[in-house]
Amino acid sequence: MNKKSLIPLLFSLIFCVGFIQQNSDCINEILKLEEKVYAKKYTEKDKPAFLSYSLKTIDWENKTVNVDVKMYRAYNNMHFFSTQTDIYQNEKEMVMVLKLQKLIVLENSNEEIMAKGLNEDFLNVKRNFLNQCELVSCAALDNNKEIKRVELKVNDDMNGALFIDKMIYKYKPASKEILSNSTFYKKGYKVKQIDITYNKLDLEHTYKFNSPKKYVMDAKENLLSKYAGYEVIDNRK
């Protein structure tokens, strides 16, 4: 092989290495920000964290469903509030209030999961998934250089039953804030698009936790008056 024939090969190798590095850097930025939001490991000394976000689901007829979510997290405690469901959880038990069904479910908690972070396993799966995606673009917005937009295309050979076509993230690298995350689905899936807009993250909140049962029952395990007419399913051992 002569020197001239080597030049195109060298250029292609340099381009590929640069692209792979950019792909890795962009995805790592996203994962670090999501880890900050979802997978922090809390100690007894940590103050509660508060996260609020809005979830919009769009179907193939462009009908939308909007849900606002608030979540508080601390050492061995997690409270989740939305239009449809409230969840109160500590290291021993979990209480789910299903408002539309007028149903209250009591479960034992998994202490191991609570100790290592409720969403750590999910984040590990997502890390592997994102690292296999194709990077379409990763650049600051033209009208706001503080915001970076990342678009990822899901490879057909890894899509399986997920039906995901692509994902778009918007975030601020300087302040380490995720602003939004949109997931677009392929035909055949029940929804066309899911948008998550992050409203607020406070890692030093003053929220106070109580025993999960006390939010729905009195000392004699009778339902509080606000839950009159609810059915109770007790799955605790």
Side-chain angles (χ1 to χ4, degrees):
M1 183 180 292
N2 59 41
K3 291 182 180 179
K4 287 185 179 181
S5 63
L6 282 172
I7 292 174
L9 177 60
L10 290 172
F11 271 112
S12 65
L13 288 173
I14 291 169
F15 173 80
C16 288
V17 170
F19 181 83
I20 291 168
Q21 181 64 46
Q22 184 191 26
N23 186 29
S24 177
D25 289 347
C26 291
I27 290 175
N28 283 336
E29 278 186 329
I30 292 169
L31 288 168
K32 284 179 181 178
L33 295 179
E34 290 203 329
E35 186 172 353
K36 174 185 174 184
V37 174
Y38 292 116
K40 177 182 175 181
K41 292 183 179 180
Y42 296 87
T43 68
E44 292 182 76
K45 296 180 180 180
D46 288 330
K47 290 184 177 181
F50 168 70
L51 171 66
S52 69
Y53 60 90
S54 300
L55 185 72
K56 180 169 76 172
T57 303
I58 306 171
D59 68 15
W60 293 98
E61 296 178 349
N62 288 323
K63 295 178 182 177
T64 63
V65 176
N66 296 288
V67 177
D68 291 324
V69 174
K70 293 182 179 179
M71 184 167 61
Y72 298 88
R73 180 81 169 93
Y75 180 72
N76 284 342
N77 284 280
M78 190 277 293
H79 288 177
F80 174 97
F81 304 100
S82 74
T83 310
Q84 293 91 357
T85 307
D86 292 343
I87 299 174
Y88 306 94
Q89 185 173 16
N90 63 14
E91 76 279 9
K92 294 181 179 179
E93 62 186 0
M94 176 174 65
V95 174
M96 290 186 290
V97 180
L98 306 176
K99 302 173 189 176
L100 299 181
Q101 295 86 353
K102 299 195 74 173
L103 184 66
I104 292 175
V105 182
L106 285 71
E107 300 274 1
N108 290 318
S109 279
N110 187 316
E111 293 187 38
E112 182 181 351
I113 292 176
M114 288 296 294
K116 71 177 182 178
L118 290 172
N119 297 283
E120 187 175 344
D121 289 337
F122 166 77
L123 201 63
N124 286 333
V125 171
K126 192 165 188 180
R127 181 180 291 108
N128 292 332
F129 179 74
L130 291 181
N131 280 326
Q132 296 179 69
C133 289
E134 174 190 347
L135 181 69
V136 177
S137 62
C138 178
L141 298 180
D142 291 336
N143 60 348
N144 190 339
K145 297 299 183 183
E146 293 183 356
I147 298 176
K148 186 177 281 188
R149 180 186 183 277
V150 174
E151 181 174 339
L152 299 166
K153 179 77 172 175
V154 179
N155 296 324
D156 290 335
D157 58 351
M158 60 175 279
N159 211 333
L162 295 176
F163 285 97
I164 297 175
D165 182 34
K166 66 178 180 179
M167 293 175 288
I168 295 176
Y169 287 85
K170 291 181 182 177
Y171 61 98
K172 290 184 176 180
S175 57
K176 296 180 170 56
E177 297 175 80
I178 296 182
L179 302 178
S180 64
N181 169 24
S182 296
T183 303
F184 300 83
Y185 294 88
K186 294 183 176 182
K187 281 283 189 180
Y189 194 63
K190 57 186 177 181
V191 298
K192 181 170 70 173
Q193 181 179 338
I194 296 177
D195 298 329
I196 300 175
T197 302
Y198 296 92
N199 302 317
K200 185 176 181 180
L201 175 64
D202 181 358
L203 296 178
E204 294 190 350
H205 205 274
T206 57
Y207 187 79
K208 302 296 183 183
F209 293 91
N210 211 333
S211 170
K213 274 193 308 182
K214 289 186 177 181
Y215 292 98
V216 297
M217 295 177 172
D218 61 21
K220 296 182 179 180
E221 295 202 352
N222 296 314
L223 287 178
L224 301 180
S225 58
K226 65 183 291 186
Y227 296 115
Y230 274 65
E231 180 186 354
V232 177
I233 297 177
D234 191 345
N235 293 325
R236 295 172 298 173
K237 296 177 182 178

